[in-house]
Short mmCIF file of all heavy atoms in Angstrom, two decimals:
data_model
loop_
_atom_site.label_atom_id
_atom_site.label_comp_id
_atom_site.label_asym_id
_atom_site.label_seq_id
_atom_site.Cartn_x
_atom_site.Cartn_y
_atom_site.Cartn_z
N MET A 1 3.00 29.08 18.63
CA MET A 1 1.72 28.69 18.09
C MET A 1 1.85 28.46 16.59
O MET A 1 2.55 29.18 15.89
CB MET A 1 0.71 29.82 18.36
CG MET A 1 -0.71 29.32 18.41
SD MET A 1 -1.76 30.51 19.27
CE MET A 1 -2.67 31.15 17.91
N ALA A 2 1.19 27.43 16.09
CA ALA A 2 1.30 27.08 14.68
C ALA A 2 0.57 28.09 13.81
O ALA A 2 -0.41 28.70 14.23
CB ALA A 2 0.72 25.69 14.45
N LYS A 3 1.08 28.24 12.59
CA LYS A 3 0.42 29.12 11.64
C LYS A 3 -0.92 28.52 11.25
O LYS A 3 -1.07 27.31 11.17
CB LYS A 3 1.25 29.25 10.36
CG LYS A 3 2.46 30.08 10.49
CD LYS A 3 3.13 30.20 9.12
CE LYS A 3 4.31 31.10 9.15
NZ LYS A 3 4.95 31.19 7.84
N GLN A 4 -1.86 29.39 10.99
CA GLN A 4 -3.14 28.93 10.49
C GLN A 4 -2.96 28.55 9.02
O GLN A 4 -2.32 29.30 8.26
CB GLN A 4 -4.20 30.02 10.60
CG GLN A 4 -4.63 30.32 12.01
CD GLN A 4 -5.38 29.15 12.64
OE1 GLN A 4 -6.08 28.43 11.96
NE2 GLN A 4 -5.18 28.95 13.92
N PRO A 5 -3.49 27.40 8.58
CA PRO A 5 -3.33 27.04 7.19
C PRO A 5 -4.11 27.99 6.28
O PRO A 5 -5.09 28.60 6.69
CB PRO A 5 -3.92 25.63 7.09
CG PRO A 5 -4.72 25.45 8.33
CD PRO A 5 -4.22 26.43 9.34
N LYS A 6 -3.62 28.12 5.06
CA LYS A 6 -4.33 28.95 4.08
C LYS A 6 -5.68 28.30 3.81
O LYS A 6 -5.86 27.11 3.99
CB LYS A 6 -3.54 29.04 2.77
CG LYS A 6 -2.26 29.82 2.90
CD LYS A 6 -1.54 29.93 1.58
CE LYS A 6 -0.27 30.70 1.72
NZ LYS A 6 0.46 30.80 0.45
N GLN A 7 -6.60 29.12 3.40
CA GLN A 7 -7.94 28.63 3.12
C GLN A 7 -7.85 27.51 2.07
O GLN A 7 -7.14 27.63 1.07
CB GLN A 7 -8.81 29.76 2.59
CG GLN A 7 -10.27 29.39 2.50
CD GLN A 7 -11.13 30.58 2.12
OE1 GLN A 7 -10.62 31.61 1.70
NE2 GLN A 7 -12.42 30.45 2.28
N ASN A 8 -8.54 26.40 2.33
CA ASN A 8 -8.59 25.24 1.45
C ASN A 8 -7.27 24.47 1.39
O ASN A 8 -7.05 23.68 0.49
CB ASN A 8 -9.04 25.61 0.03
CG ASN A 8 -10.46 26.12 0.01
OD1 ASN A 8 -11.29 25.67 0.78
ND2 ASN A 8 -10.75 27.04 -0.87
N LYS A 9 -6.38 24.72 2.33
CA LYS A 9 -5.12 23.97 2.42
C LYS A 9 -4.94 23.50 3.86
O LYS A 9 -5.28 24.21 4.80
CB LYS A 9 -3.92 24.85 2.04
CG LYS A 9 -3.90 25.34 0.63
CD LYS A 9 -3.07 24.45 -0.23
CE LYS A 9 -2.96 25.04 -1.64
NZ LYS A 9 -2.19 24.23 -2.53
N THR A 10 -4.39 22.30 4.02
CA THR A 10 -4.08 21.83 5.35
C THR A 10 -2.74 22.41 5.78
O THR A 10 -2.05 23.06 4.98
CB THR A 10 -3.99 20.29 5.38
OG1 THR A 10 -2.88 19.89 4.58
CG2 THR A 10 -5.27 19.64 4.89
N ALA A 11 -2.35 22.17 7.01
CA ALA A 11 -1.07 22.67 7.50
C ALA A 11 0.08 22.08 6.69
O ALA A 11 1.12 22.70 6.53
CB ALA A 11 -0.91 22.32 8.97
N ALA A 12 -0.12 20.87 6.15
CA ALA A 12 0.92 20.24 5.35
C ALA A 12 0.90 20.71 3.90
O ALA A 12 1.74 20.31 3.10
CB ALA A 12 0.74 18.72 5.39
N GLY A 13 -0.07 21.53 3.55
CA GLY A 13 -0.13 22.07 2.20
C GLY A 13 -1.03 21.28 1.25
O GLY A 13 -1.04 21.52 0.05
N THR A 14 -1.80 20.34 1.78
CA THR A 14 -2.68 19.53 0.94
C THR A 14 -3.89 20.35 0.53
O THR A 14 -4.50 21.04 1.34
CB THR A 14 -3.16 18.29 1.72
OG1 THR A 14 -2.02 17.56 2.17
CG2 THR A 14 -4.03 17.39 0.86
N ASP A 15 -4.25 20.27 -0.75
CA ASP A 15 -5.40 20.98 -1.28
C ASP A 15 -6.67 20.23 -0.89
O ASP A 15 -6.95 19.14 -1.39
CB ASP A 15 -5.28 21.10 -2.80
CG ASP A 15 -6.41 21.91 -3.42
OD1 ASP A 15 -7.44 22.14 -2.77
OD2 ASP A 15 -6.24 22.30 -4.59
N VAL A 16 -7.44 20.80 0.01
CA VAL A 16 -8.64 20.13 0.54
C VAL A 16 -9.64 19.84 -0.56
O VAL A 16 -10.23 18.76 -0.61
CB VAL A 16 -9.28 21.00 1.66
CG1 VAL A 16 -10.59 20.40 2.13
CG2 VAL A 16 -8.32 21.16 2.82
N ASN A 17 -9.83 20.79 -1.46
CA ASN A 17 -10.80 20.59 -2.54
C ASN A 17 -10.40 19.46 -3.45
O ASN A 17 -11.23 18.69 -3.93
CB ASN A 17 -10.99 21.87 -3.35
CG ASN A 17 -11.73 22.93 -2.54
OD1 ASN A 17 -12.54 22.61 -1.70
ND2 ASN A 17 -11.41 24.18 -2.78
N HIS A 18 -9.11 19.32 -3.72
CA HIS A 18 -8.61 18.23 -4.56
C HIS A 18 -8.88 16.88 -3.90
O HIS A 18 -9.30 15.94 -4.57
CB HIS A 18 -7.12 18.42 -4.82
CG HIS A 18 -6.52 17.38 -5.71
ND1 HIS A 18 -6.80 17.31 -7.05
CD2 HIS A 18 -5.68 16.36 -5.44
CE1 HIS A 18 -6.15 16.27 -7.57
NE2 HIS A 18 -5.47 15.69 -6.61
N VAL A 19 -8.64 16.78 -2.62
CA VAL A 19 -8.88 15.53 -1.89
C VAL A 19 -10.37 15.20 -1.90
O VAL A 19 -10.75 14.04 -2.12
CB VAL A 19 -8.35 15.63 -0.44
CG1 VAL A 19 -8.76 14.41 0.37
CG2 VAL A 19 -6.83 15.77 -0.45
N LYS A 20 -11.22 16.19 -1.68
CA LYS A 20 -12.67 15.96 -1.72
C LYS A 20 -13.10 15.44 -3.09
O LYS A 20 -13.93 14.54 -3.18
CB LYS A 20 -13.43 17.24 -1.37
CG LYS A 20 -13.36 17.61 0.10
CD LYS A 20 -14.13 18.88 0.37
CE LYS A 20 -14.06 19.25 1.83
NZ LYS A 20 -14.79 20.50 2.12
N GLN A 21 -12.53 16.01 -4.13
CA GLN A 21 -12.86 15.59 -5.50
C GLN A 21 -12.41 14.14 -5.72
O GLN A 21 -13.17 13.34 -6.27
CB GLN A 21 -12.18 16.50 -6.51
CG GLN A 21 -12.48 16.12 -7.96
CD GLN A 21 -11.73 16.99 -8.95
OE1 GLN A 21 -10.83 17.75 -8.58
NE2 GLN A 21 -12.09 16.89 -10.20
N GLN A 22 -11.24 13.79 -5.26
CA GLN A 22 -10.75 12.42 -5.39
C GLN A 22 -11.64 11.45 -4.62
O GLN A 22 -11.94 10.35 -5.12
CB GLN A 22 -9.32 12.29 -4.89
CG GLN A 22 -8.30 12.92 -5.81
CD GLN A 22 -6.90 12.79 -5.26
OE1 GLN A 22 -6.68 12.89 -4.05
NE2 GLN A 22 -5.96 12.54 -6.13
N ASN A 23 -12.07 11.84 -3.43
CA ASN A 23 -12.94 10.99 -2.63
C ASN A 23 -14.28 10.78 -3.31
O ASN A 23 -14.82 9.67 -3.30
CB ASN A 23 -13.15 11.59 -1.24
CG ASN A 23 -11.90 11.50 -0.38
OD1 ASN A 23 -10.99 10.74 -0.66
ND2 ASN A 23 -11.86 12.30 0.67
N GLN A 24 -14.83 11.81 -3.93
CA GLN A 24 -16.08 11.68 -4.64
C GLN A 24 -15.95 10.74 -5.83
O GLN A 24 -16.81 9.90 -6.08
CB GLN A 24 -16.59 13.04 -5.11
CG GLN A 24 -17.12 13.92 -4.01
CD GLN A 24 -17.49 15.31 -4.50
OE1 GLN A 24 -17.04 15.74 -5.55
NE2 GLN A 24 -18.30 16.02 -3.72
N GLN A 25 -14.85 10.87 -6.56
CA GLN A 25 -14.61 10.00 -7.70
C GLN A 25 -14.47 8.55 -7.26
O GLN A 25 -15.01 7.65 -7.89
CB GLN A 25 -13.37 10.43 -8.46
CG GLN A 25 -13.56 11.70 -9.26
CD GLN A 25 -12.27 12.14 -9.95
OE1 GLN A 25 -11.19 11.64 -9.66
NE2 GLN A 25 -12.38 13.10 -10.85
N ALA A 26 -13.78 8.33 -6.18
CA ALA A 26 -13.59 6.98 -5.67
C ALA A 26 -14.92 6.38 -5.23
O ALA A 26 -15.19 5.20 -5.49
CB ALA A 26 -12.60 6.98 -4.50
N ALA A 27 -15.77 7.19 -4.60
CA ALA A 27 -17.06 6.70 -4.15
C ALA A 27 -17.96 6.35 -5.32
O ALA A 27 -18.78 5.43 -5.23
CB ALA A 27 -17.74 7.77 -3.27
N GLN A 28 -17.77 7.02 -6.44
CA GLN A 28 -18.57 6.76 -7.63
C GLN A 28 -17.95 5.68 -8.51
O GLN A 28 -18.52 5.29 -9.52
CB GLN A 28 -18.72 8.05 -8.45
CG GLN A 28 -19.51 9.13 -7.76
CD GLN A 28 -19.46 10.45 -8.50
OE1 GLN A 28 -18.80 10.57 -9.53
NE2 GLN A 28 -20.15 11.46 -8.00
N GLY A 29 -16.77 5.24 -8.16
CA GLY A 29 -16.10 4.23 -8.96
C GLY A 29 -15.40 4.81 -10.19
O GLY A 29 -15.04 4.09 -11.10
N ASN A 30 -15.19 6.12 -10.21
CA ASN A 30 -14.55 6.78 -11.35
C ASN A 30 -13.07 7.04 -11.13
O ASN A 30 -12.45 7.75 -11.89
CB ASN A 30 -15.24 8.11 -11.66
CG ASN A 30 -16.66 7.90 -12.10
OD1 ASN A 30 -16.99 6.86 -12.64
ND2 ASN A 30 -17.50 8.90 -11.90
N SER A 31 -12.53 6.48 -10.08
CA SER A 31 -11.12 6.74 -9.77
C SER A 31 -10.23 6.10 -10.82
O SER A 31 -10.45 4.97 -11.25
CB SER A 31 -10.78 6.15 -8.40
OG SER A 31 -9.40 6.28 -8.15
N GLN A 32 -9.22 6.81 -11.24
CA GLN A 32 -8.32 6.27 -12.25
C GLN A 32 -7.36 5.25 -11.65
O GLN A 32 -6.75 4.48 -12.37
CB GLN A 32 -7.54 7.38 -12.93
CG GLN A 32 -6.55 8.09 -12.01
CD GLN A 32 -5.91 9.29 -12.68
OE1 GLN A 32 -6.55 9.99 -13.45
NE2 GLN A 32 -4.66 9.54 -12.39
N TYR A 33 -7.25 5.21 -10.32
CA TYR A 33 -6.31 4.31 -9.68
C TYR A 33 -6.96 3.05 -9.15
O TYR A 33 -6.41 1.97 -9.24
CB TYR A 33 -5.58 5.02 -8.54
CG TYR A 33 -4.82 6.23 -9.00
CD1 TYR A 33 -5.27 7.51 -8.69
CD2 TYR A 33 -3.68 6.11 -9.77
CE1 TYR A 33 -4.58 8.63 -9.12
CE2 TYR A 33 -2.99 7.21 -10.21
CZ TYR A 33 -3.45 8.47 -9.88
OH TYR A 33 -2.78 9.57 -10.30
N GLY A 34 -8.13 3.17 -8.54
CA GLY A 34 -8.76 2.06 -7.87
C GLY A 34 -8.92 0.82 -8.73
O GLY A 34 -8.54 -0.27 -8.35
N ALA A 35 -9.47 0.98 -9.91
CA ALA A 35 -9.71 -0.17 -10.80
C ALA A 35 -8.40 -0.79 -11.25
O ALA A 35 -8.28 -2.01 -11.33
CB ALA A 35 -10.55 0.26 -11.98
N GLU A 36 -7.43 0.05 -11.52
CA GLU A 36 -6.14 -0.46 -11.98
C GLU A 36 -5.50 -1.37 -10.94
O GLU A 36 -5.05 -2.46 -11.24
CB GLU A 36 -5.21 0.72 -12.29
CG GLU A 36 -3.81 0.29 -12.69
CD GLU A 36 -2.89 1.48 -12.89
OE1 GLU A 36 -3.36 2.61 -13.02
OE2 GLU A 36 -1.67 1.25 -12.94
N PHE A 37 -5.47 -0.92 -9.69
CA PHE A 37 -4.84 -1.70 -8.66
C PHE A 37 -5.69 -2.91 -8.28
O PHE A 37 -5.16 -3.95 -7.93
CB PHE A 37 -4.53 -0.86 -7.43
CG PHE A 37 -3.41 0.11 -7.66
CD1 PHE A 37 -3.60 1.47 -7.53
CD2 PHE A 37 -2.15 -0.35 -8.04
CE1 PHE A 37 -2.56 2.35 -7.76
CE2 PHE A 37 -1.10 0.52 -8.26
CZ PHE A 37 -1.32 1.88 -8.13
N ALA A 38 -6.99 -2.76 -8.36
CA ALA A 38 -7.89 -3.88 -8.02
C ALA A 38 -7.64 -5.04 -8.98
O ALA A 38 -7.69 -6.19 -8.59
CB ALA A 38 -9.34 -3.43 -8.07
N GLN A 39 -7.36 -4.75 -10.23
CA GLN A 39 -7.11 -5.79 -11.22
C GLN A 39 -5.77 -6.48 -10.97
O GLN A 39 -5.61 -7.64 -11.33
CB GLN A 39 -7.12 -5.20 -12.62
CG GLN A 39 -8.51 -4.74 -13.07
CD GLN A 39 -8.44 -4.01 -14.40
OE1 GLN A 39 -7.38 -3.79 -14.96
NE2 GLN A 39 -9.59 -3.62 -14.90
N GLN A 40 -4.85 -5.80 -10.36
CA GLN A 40 -3.52 -6.35 -10.17
C GLN A 40 -3.34 -7.01 -8.81
O GLN A 40 -2.32 -7.63 -8.56
CB GLN A 40 -2.48 -5.23 -10.31
CG GLN A 40 -2.43 -4.64 -11.69
CD GLN A 40 -1.47 -3.47 -11.78
OE1 GLN A 40 -0.76 -3.17 -10.82
NE2 GLN A 40 -1.44 -2.81 -12.91
N THR A 41 -4.32 -6.88 -7.93
CA THR A 41 -4.19 -7.37 -6.57
C THR A 41 -4.93 -8.69 -6.40
O THR A 41 -6.10 -8.79 -6.71
CB THR A 41 -4.74 -6.34 -5.57
OG1 THR A 41 -4.04 -5.12 -5.76
CG2 THR A 41 -4.56 -6.82 -4.14
N ASP A 42 -4.22 -9.68 -5.89
CA ASP A 42 -4.82 -10.97 -5.57
C ASP A 42 -5.20 -10.92 -4.09
O ASP A 42 -4.34 -11.00 -3.21
CB ASP A 42 -3.82 -12.09 -5.84
CG ASP A 42 -4.35 -13.47 -5.48
OD1 ASP A 42 -5.51 -13.58 -5.05
OD2 ASP A 42 -3.57 -14.43 -5.63
N ALA A 43 -6.48 -10.73 -3.81
CA ALA A 43 -6.94 -10.54 -2.44
C ALA A 43 -6.56 -11.70 -1.54
O ALA A 43 -6.16 -11.51 -0.39
CB ALA A 43 -8.44 -10.30 -2.42
N GLN A 44 -6.70 -12.92 -2.05
CA GLN A 44 -6.37 -14.09 -1.22
C GLN A 44 -4.90 -14.09 -0.84
O GLN A 44 -4.53 -14.39 0.29
CB GLN A 44 -6.73 -15.38 -1.96
CG GLN A 44 -6.57 -16.64 -1.11
CD GLN A 44 -7.46 -16.60 0.13
OE1 GLN A 44 -8.60 -16.17 0.09
NE2 GLN A 44 -6.92 -17.05 1.24
N HIS A 45 -4.03 -13.71 -1.76
CA HIS A 45 -2.61 -13.65 -1.49
C HIS A 45 -2.31 -12.60 -0.40
O HIS A 45 -1.50 -12.84 0.50
CB HIS A 45 -1.84 -13.31 -2.78
CG HIS A 45 -0.37 -13.20 -2.59
ND1 HIS A 45 0.43 -14.29 -2.36
CD2 HIS A 45 0.46 -12.12 -2.57
CE1 HIS A 45 1.68 -13.88 -2.21
NE2 HIS A 45 1.72 -12.56 -2.33
N VAL A 46 -2.97 -11.46 -0.47
CA VAL A 46 -2.79 -10.40 0.51
C VAL A 46 -3.23 -10.89 1.89
O VAL A 46 -2.55 -10.68 2.89
CB VAL A 46 -3.54 -9.12 0.10
CG1 VAL A 46 -3.50 -8.08 1.22
CG2 VAL A 46 -2.96 -8.55 -1.18
N ILE A 47 -4.37 -11.56 1.95
CA ILE A 47 -4.86 -12.09 3.22
C ILE A 47 -3.86 -13.07 3.82
O ILE A 47 -3.55 -13.02 5.01
CB ILE A 47 -6.25 -12.78 3.02
CG1 ILE A 47 -7.29 -11.70 2.71
CG2 ILE A 47 -6.65 -13.57 4.25
CD1 ILE A 47 -8.62 -12.26 2.22
N GLU A 48 -3.32 -13.96 2.99
CA GLU A 48 -2.34 -14.94 3.47
C GLU A 48 -1.08 -14.24 3.97
O GLU A 48 -0.54 -14.61 5.02
CB GLU A 48 -1.99 -15.92 2.35
CG GLU A 48 -3.12 -16.86 2.00
CD GLU A 48 -2.85 -17.68 0.75
OE1 GLU A 48 -1.71 -17.63 0.21
OE2 GLU A 48 -3.77 -18.39 0.31
N GLN A 49 -0.62 -13.24 3.26
CA GLN A 49 0.58 -12.50 3.68
C GLN A 49 0.33 -11.78 5.01
O GLN A 49 1.22 -11.76 5.88
CB GLN A 49 1.00 -11.51 2.61
CG GLN A 49 1.51 -12.14 1.34
CD GLN A 49 2.76 -12.97 1.56
OE1 GLN A 49 3.66 -12.56 2.28
NE2 GLN A 49 2.81 -14.14 0.95
N ASN A 50 -0.84 -11.22 5.17
CA ASN A 50 -1.18 -10.54 6.43
C ASN A 50 -1.21 -11.53 7.59
O ASN A 50 -0.73 -11.22 8.68
CB ASN A 50 -2.51 -9.81 6.31
CG ASN A 50 -2.43 -8.59 5.43
OD1 ASN A 50 -1.35 -8.07 5.16
ND2 ASN A 50 -3.57 -8.11 4.98
N GLN A 51 -1.76 -12.70 7.35
CA GLN A 51 -1.81 -13.72 8.40
C GLN A 51 -0.41 -14.15 8.80
O GLN A 51 -0.11 -14.30 9.98
CB GLN A 51 -2.65 -14.92 7.94
CG GLN A 51 -4.13 -14.62 7.86
CD GLN A 51 -4.92 -15.75 7.22
OE1 GLN A 51 -4.37 -16.62 6.55
NE2 GLN A 51 -6.24 -15.72 7.41
N LYS A 52 0.48 -14.36 7.82
CA LYS A 52 1.86 -14.75 8.11
C LYS A 52 2.57 -13.65 8.91
O LYS A 52 3.30 -13.94 9.86
CB LYS A 52 2.62 -15.02 6.81
CG LYS A 52 2.20 -16.28 6.11
CD LYS A 52 2.98 -16.45 4.83
CE LYS A 52 2.51 -17.67 4.04
NZ LYS A 52 3.23 -17.80 2.75
N SER A 53 2.33 -12.43 8.53
CA SER A 53 2.95 -11.30 9.23
C SER A 53 2.49 -11.22 10.68
O SER A 53 3.30 -11.01 11.60
CB SER A 53 2.61 -10.01 8.51
OG SER A 53 3.13 -8.90 9.21
N GLN A 54 1.20 -11.40 10.90
CA GLN A 54 0.65 -11.36 12.26
C GLN A 54 1.21 -12.53 13.09
O GLN A 54 1.51 -12.36 14.27
CB GLN A 54 -0.88 -11.43 12.22
CG GLN A 54 -1.53 -10.16 11.70
CD GLN A 54 -1.21 -8.94 12.52
OE1 GLN A 54 -1.17 -8.98 13.74
NE2 GLN A 54 -0.94 -7.84 11.84
N ALA A 55 1.38 -13.69 12.48
CA ALA A 55 1.90 -14.84 13.20
C ALA A 55 3.35 -14.61 13.65
O ALA A 55 3.75 -15.03 14.73
CB ALA A 55 1.81 -16.08 12.31
N LYS A 56 4.13 -13.91 12.83
CA LYS A 56 5.51 -13.62 13.18
C LYS A 56 5.62 -12.64 14.33
O LYS A 56 6.58 -12.66 15.09
CB LYS A 56 6.25 -13.05 11.96
CG LYS A 56 6.55 -14.08 10.89
CD LYS A 56 7.31 -13.44 9.73
CE LYS A 56 7.57 -14.44 8.63
NZ LYS A 56 8.29 -13.84 7.50
N LYS A 57 4.63 -11.75 14.47
CA LYS A 57 4.64 -10.76 15.54
C LYS A 57 4.41 -11.40 16.90
O LYS A 57 4.84 -10.87 17.91
CB LYS A 57 3.58 -9.70 15.29
CG LYS A 57 3.88 -8.77 14.15
CD LYS A 57 2.78 -7.72 14.03
CE LYS A 57 3.04 -6.78 12.85
NZ LYS A 57 1.95 -5.80 12.72
N LYS A 58 3.72 -12.52 16.91
CA LYS A 58 3.36 -13.14 18.22
C LYS A 58 4.46 -13.91 18.79
O LYS A 58 5.39 -14.30 18.71
CB LYS A 58 2.14 -14.07 18.03
CG LYS A 58 0.91 -13.26 17.67
CD LYS A 58 -0.30 -14.17 17.50
CE LYS A 58 -1.50 -13.34 17.10
NZ LYS A 58 -2.66 -14.13 16.89
#
């Protein structure tokens, strides 16, 4: 039987409170990562790459 995770930690050792805090920041648009990557990502390019990848799978 698996060990019970410590309070506020998942079985993998992830801090649940830290993840909740990050999720709240992301929902409010205060994430330090989201805006940075959004500025560097060309959405149309990603869509095209995904379509090419899907076409190769078929």
Side-chain angles (χ1 to χ4, degrees):
M1 205 160 109
K3 286 184 177 180
Q4 290 293 327
K6 292 182 180 179
Q7 190 174 13
N8 295 327
K9 296 264 185 181
T10 65
T14 304
D15 183 344
V16 174
N17 290 329
H18 182 70
V19 172
K20 286 180 181 179
Q21 181 183 10
Q22 287 180 322
N23 289 343
Q24 286 175 341
Q25 287 177 348
Q28 294 171 358
N30 295 334
S31 174
Q32 67 187 36
Y33 301 108
E36 176 184 345
F37 289 121
Q39 291 173 357
Q40 296 176 5
T41 303
D42 178 3
Q44 186 60 40
H45 179 72
V46 172
I47 291 168
E48 290 171 7
Q49 293 297 317
N50 288 343
Q51 289 172 343
K52 288 179 184 177
S53 176
Q54 290 300 319
K56 288 181 182 179
K57 289 182 181 179
K58 294 181 181 178

